[in-house]
């Protein structure tokens, strides 16, 4: 084990975990408070709240994974299969709901004249709840192979030894190839949809930006800057999404080779997506940004009160 990398990666992993939890709890709580006060939630608020909830569940469910890397809290054998299935379900749901958010941005912001696209633009807000529910059901179905195709239980005598996860006379053999196949099968479709939505959105914004930059366009500099910020945000969104996919699909190999540094690297890749992307969501949402700025202003004044 590379102890230098271990000393660096352990606090970074827990820091990203804490940031991700705090930011997503803030997103969910702020929208909940906003609704309790009698304000109606827009479709984008519902999407962000749903995504925040599933990311909170994912980050909480990932705590035992990080703890097991350092053997602080080993995962008991009798719940290992159910735990891994639940983590896979939450992970797939996080990917799908992130994709639904990206599709919503694409449909609302872009200006394509295709008849099907125009109809989708008119009905996307009504479709969002059904898209979230459908993607949740798909996530559950895609995670079920983790229960039956990945694990096999063996009962041993006390004199038998095994390198697999064990608890007394019970051991679980993990088929890491099936783990990777399951993860790839559950993540490839939302990833392709995500890439298509980002590509369409960026292409439309670039075309619109070039038109806005012409001398006779009549658009202000602030409007032009808003388009450029959106392009940067969506490119960053895609980058974090890819890092997440790399992390979750390489993690099984990290556990198979029993390399602690490799496991921490994959964990950092996985946690970076829900943590760092949440910062972007808050920074680009007026209500969330104003609320958190008010909290910071109160925090600065508090020592002088």
């Amino acid at each position: 084990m590379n102890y230098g990398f271990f000393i660096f990666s352990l606090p970074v992993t827990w820091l990203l975990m804490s940031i991700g939890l705090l930011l997503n709890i803030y997103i969910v709580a702020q929208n909940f408070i906003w609704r309790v006060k009698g304000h109606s939630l827009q479709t984008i608020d519902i999407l962000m709240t749903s995504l925040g909830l599933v990311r909170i569940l994912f980050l909480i469910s990932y705590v035992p994974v990080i703890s097991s890397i350092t053997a602080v809290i080993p995962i008991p054998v009798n719940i290992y299969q159910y735990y891994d299935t639940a983590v896979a379900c939450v992970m797939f749901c996080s990917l799908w709901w992130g994709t639904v958010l990206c599709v919503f941005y694409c449909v609302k912001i872009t200006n394509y004249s295709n008849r099907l696209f125009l109809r989708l633009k008119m009905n996307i807000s009504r479709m969002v709840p059904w898209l979230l529910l459908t993607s949740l059901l798909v996530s559950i179905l895609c995670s079920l192979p983790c229960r039956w195709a990945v694990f096999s239980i063996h009962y041993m005598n006390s004199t038998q030894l095994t390198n697999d996860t064990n608890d007394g006379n019970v051991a679980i053999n993990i088929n890491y190839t099936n783990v990777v196949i399951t993860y790839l099968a559950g993540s490839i479709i939302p990833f392709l949809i995500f890439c298509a939505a980002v590509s369409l959105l960026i292409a439309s914004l670039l075309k619109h930006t070039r038109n806005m930059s012409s001398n006779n366009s009549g658009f202000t500099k602030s409007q032009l800057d808003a388009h450029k910020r959106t392009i940067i945000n969506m490119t960053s969104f895609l980058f974090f999404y890819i890092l997440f996919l790399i992390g979750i699909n390489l993690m099984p190999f990290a556990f198979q080779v029993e390399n602690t540094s490799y496991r921490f690297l994959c964990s950092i890749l996985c946690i970076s997506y829900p943590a760092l992307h949440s910062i972007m969501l808050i920074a680009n949402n007026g209500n969330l940004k104003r609320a958190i700025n008010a909290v910071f202003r109160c925090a600065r004044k508090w020592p002088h009160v």
Side-chain angles (χ1 to χ4, degrees):
M1 180 176 65
N2 188 330
Y3 287 99
F5 183 79
F6 174 82
I7 294 172
F8 165 78
S9 59
L10 182 60
V12 170
T13 302
W14 285 111
L15 178 63
L16 286 173
M17 174 75 73
S18 302
I19 292 173
L21 279 172
L22 289 174
L23 291 178
N24 284 285
I25 289 173
Y26 167 75
I27 291 172
V28 174
Q30 185 61 35
N31 284 326
F32 177 77
I33 294 171
W34 184 258
R35 185 66 184 90
V36 169
K37 288 182 176 179
H39 302 285
S40 61
L41 294 179
Q42 302 297 321
T43 304
I44 187 63
D45 298 320
I46 296 173
L47 275 169
M48 291 179 62
T49 302
S50 302
L51 186 59
L53 281 171
V54 77
R55 283 177 172 176
I56 291 170
L57 291 175
F58 172 76
L59 290 170
I60 292 175
S61 68
Y62 213 77
V63 170
V65 176
I66 300 174
S67 300
S68 66
I69 294 175
T70 55
V72 176
I73 309 176
I75 302 172
V77 166
N78 58 340
I79 67 169
Y80 198 91
Q81 298 174 85
Y82 305 100
Y83 165 77
D84 194 71
T85 304
V87 171
C89 179
V90 174
M91 176 184 68
F92 293 147
C93 192
S94 176
L95 290 173
W96 271 108
W97 287 2
T99 298
V100 173
L101 177 63
C102 183
V103 170
F104 180 80
Y105 278 136
C106 175
V107 172
K108 281 294 186 181
I109 296 176
T110 54
N111 292 303
Y112 292 106
S113 58
N114 182 276
R115 181 179 299 177
L116 179 62
F117 190 86
L118 293 175
R119 182 174 297 179
L120 185 61
K121 182 185 285 286
M122 294 174 57
N123 298 299
I124 187 64
S125 295
R126 292 195 297 269
M127 293 172 61
V128 163
W130 293 105
L131 291 173
L132 294 176
L133 179 59
T134 301
S135 56
L136 174 60
L137 296 176
V138 172
S139 300
I140 294 173
L141 290 175
C142 290
S143 64
L144 290 180
C146 289
R147 174 65 179 84
W148 293 291
V150 170
F151 302 98
S152 58
I153 299 177
H154 299 277
Y155 296 91
M156 310 176 300
N157 297 323
S158 58
T159 57
Q160 288 181 291
L161 298 176
T162 178
N163 291 327
D164 296 313
T165 306
N166 61 80
D167 183 14
N169 294 327
V170 181
I172 289 184
N173 291 327
I174 304 174
N175 189 323
Y176 289 100
T177 301
N178 286 350
V179 175
V180 175
I181 292 174
T182 301
Y183 284 3
L184 283 174
S187 60
I188 189 65
I189 295 178
F191 175 65
L192 292 176
I193 296 174
F194 185 93
C195 288
V198 170
S199 299
L200 289 171
L201 178 56
I202 292 178
S204 176
L205 287 175
L206 286 175
K207 180 180 179 181
H208 198 197
T209 300
R210 285 194 295 268
N211 293 334
M212 290 169 65
S213 300
S214 62
N215 294 329
N216 300 322
S217 62
F219 289 99
T220 64
K221 185 177 184 299
S222 60
Q223 290 174 306
L224 187 62
D225 290 340
H227 278 64
K228 291 179 179 179
R229 283 196 303 270
T230 303
I231 293 173
I232 294 173
N233 289 336
M234 297 311 299
T235 304
S236 302
F237 193 179
L238 177 60
F239 176 72
F240 294 141
Y241 198 107
I242 292 174
L243 287 183
F244 182 78
L245 285 179
I246 293 174
I248 63 172
N249 286 292
L250 291 182
M251 181 64 82
F253 294 116
F255 276 90
Q256 186 176 22
V257 300
E258 299 183 356
N259 187 313
T260 301
S261 299
Y262 190 14
R263 294 178 189 179
F264 268 119
L265 178 60
C266 293
S267 295
I268 291 173
L269 293 177
C270 292
I271 299 171
S272 297
Y273 169 59
L276 300 180
H277 181 244
S278 298
I279 298 175
M280 296 168 52
L281 290 179
I282 294 172
N284 290 281
N285 184 280
N287 292 332
L288 294 175
K289 189 176 181 179
R290 283 191 294 271
I292 203 168
N293 286 337
V295 171
F296 287 145
R297 285 195 299 268
C298 292
R300 285 196 298 267
K301 294 178 181 178
W302 181 77
H304 305 289
V305 175

